Amino acid sequence: MSETVFTYASPALKFGSGASAEIGHDLAVLGVRRVLLVTDPGVAATGHPARIAEQMQARGLEVTTYDAARVEPTDESLSHAIAFGRDAGPFDAIVAVGGGSSIDTAKAVNLLTTNPGELMDYINAPVGKAQAPVDALLPLVAVPTTTGTGSESTTICVLDVLSLHVKTGISHPRLRPTMAVVDPSLTLTQPAMVTAAAGMDILCHALESYTARWYGDFDAKQPEQRVPYCGANPIADLWSEKAMALLAGSFRAAVADGADATAREQMSLAATFAGLGFGNAGVHVPHANAYPIAGRVRDYRPDGYPPDEPIVPHGMAVALTAPEAFRFTFDAAPERHLAAARMLDPTLSSSATGPDVLPDVLSTLMRDVGIPNGLAEVGYGGGDVDGLVEGALKQERLLATAPKLVTGDDLAGVFRSSMEHW
């Protein structure tokens, strides 16, 4: 039998300039007294976390700050944060202030300070044991300072497992934040390359969920088999379409002028909408490919990110194979790929058709916002393809949502064709 049911869930949402000043009130109403605030050194330097902590303290809350979250978390960095949370606790709630890295770190701390075991017990199979939490988690308030990851809306925590040179994740509905507080004024300090990389993450969240396998094309599930990523569906489609329309009018402007408050607000809305979409429909090939691209980085150090170690930021890693990935998936849903291209580029001719249309729109946008011209520019070559394919194939949860069957040979073709885009 084919599936006849899709699911939808989201956190409570508070959106708008100044929204982050109200967190103390919101938590006090819940009876919270002790709060762990999680952030990273770069975001801490902006002063936003300290200001939010002071505003919570003014409401009578006791706040402990952990400001050592790692940009692109690893199993080691998450274990360090979890140990801090266990030693400094117990807490009544957790507040994450930062990009996806800080929010994902807070999710891991929340999970492992309320449930038994270690990280590998909960990491997705086949890398980890994929166990489900047995105990309730604390209320988690996610306050994004970047416009891209959507982590404030999702059930996913992403990390690098250093010993395996692979990026993977933990996925369970209980990881979803209780509340997302999206304050566009916090994103004005976001550097241009961070805006570009995170913006490509928004774009791919929307595109991948919009082109994901339709929920009704899966086999029917029993209630206990349901997962957060249920495939493209009518509600997720609405969020994805709106996110793409917002990106068309704001992405280039936000990268060109970080002080453009209107563009920043539209990017924040796009990130929120895309998160609400893909957090239920799912993502597929570009995200599966991104994990080994980020996990196997050698020497690449982009502007706007910590310079002390190499990194391919998540959104950039997702974008680097996106044009070729969507060329590959085109024949599974041509009308959706073309509709998405026209949402992202309203000037596109109505007569434009074929598998090259969406890849061309993506490549042009990537070039305009300063994303590297393919895998070669971040240090990969033909000899790396087998390893990248191996890492992508481990992302079974993501590839299952692709609109067509994906083999290792298919992925190898996508990686080889993604060495250079223009």
Side-chain angles (χ1 to χ4, degrees), residues 111-318:
L111 174 64
L112 270 301
T113 56
T114 55
N115 281 267
E118 302 300 330
L119 271 172
M120 274 297 180
D121 295 329
Y122 299 96
I123 288 173
N124 296 330
V127 179
K129 297 179 182 178
Q131 292 180 4
V134 294
D135 297 318
L137 276 64
L138 300 174
L140 170 60
V141 177
V143 190
T145 59
T146 61
T147 44
T149 70
S151 185
E152 70 275 6
S153 300
T154 71
T155 63
I156 313 300
C157 164
V158 177
L159 69 150
D160 283 297
V161 178
L162 295 176
S163 62
L164 300 177
H165 301 285
V166 68
K167 209 174 192 77
T168 183
I170 302 171
S171 177
H172 192 275
R174 293 189 189 178
L175 267 64
R176 194 188 307 274
T178 311
M179 174 180 282
V181 176
V182 182
D183 186 338
S185 67
L186 303 187
T187 71
L188 294 173
T189 54
Q190 197 174 220
M193 182 54 81
V194 177
T195 302
M200 289 304 301
D201 202 19
I202 302 173
L203 188 154
C204 288
H205 286 156
L207 266 179
E208 289 173 60
S209 59
Y210 192 64
T211 58
R213 187 177 178 185
W214 186 250
Y215 80 95
D217 292 338
F218 288 90
D219 291 337
K221 297 179 180 67
Q222 295 300 312
E224 63 274 11
Q225 296 175 313
R226 301 206 180 282
V227 294
Y229 281 7
C230 65
N233 62 77
I235 294 179
D237 282 355
L238 294 174
W239 293 117
S240 298
E241 290 168 356
K242 185 61 177 177
M244 285 187 277
L246 286 166
L247 285 170
S250 62
F251 193 0
R252 289 174 174 87
V255 173
D257 179 7
D260 185 332
T262 300
R264 289 295 195 186
E265 182 174 21
Q266 289 180 338
M267 290 290 286
S268 292
L269 272 175
T272 302
F273 290 173
L276 293 169
F278 95 88
N280 293 276
V283 290
H284 53 84
V285 178
H287 268 75
N289 291 348
Y291 286 1
I293 292 169
R296 293 170 176 265
V297 61
R298 297 188 185 96
D299 301 312
Y300 184 71
R301 290 172 168 82
D303 292 338
Y305 287 85
D308 51 336
E309 57 186 300
I311 180 177
V312 180
H314 172 67
M316 182 185 295
V318 172

Side-chain angles (χ1 to χ4, degrees), residues 18-81:
S20 60
E22 300 182 6
I23 296 169
H25 164 79
D26 296 330
L27 289 178
V29 167
L30 295 177
V32 168
R33 290 293 175 263
R34 299 196 74 231
V35 177
L36 174 63
L37 189 153
V38 177
T39 189
D40 69 53
V43 175
T46 67
H48 296 316
R51 188 258 306 161
I52 291 170
E54 290 172 0
Q55 289 168 333
M56 288 193 288
Q57 289 164 345
R59 290 281 183 171
L61 278 61
E62 179 185 340
V63 182
T64 299
T65 297
Y66 177 79
D67 61 3
R70 185 183 188 276
V71 177
E72 304 295 336
T74 68
D75 50 346
E76 288 184 0
S77 75
L78 293 184
S79 295
H80 184 273

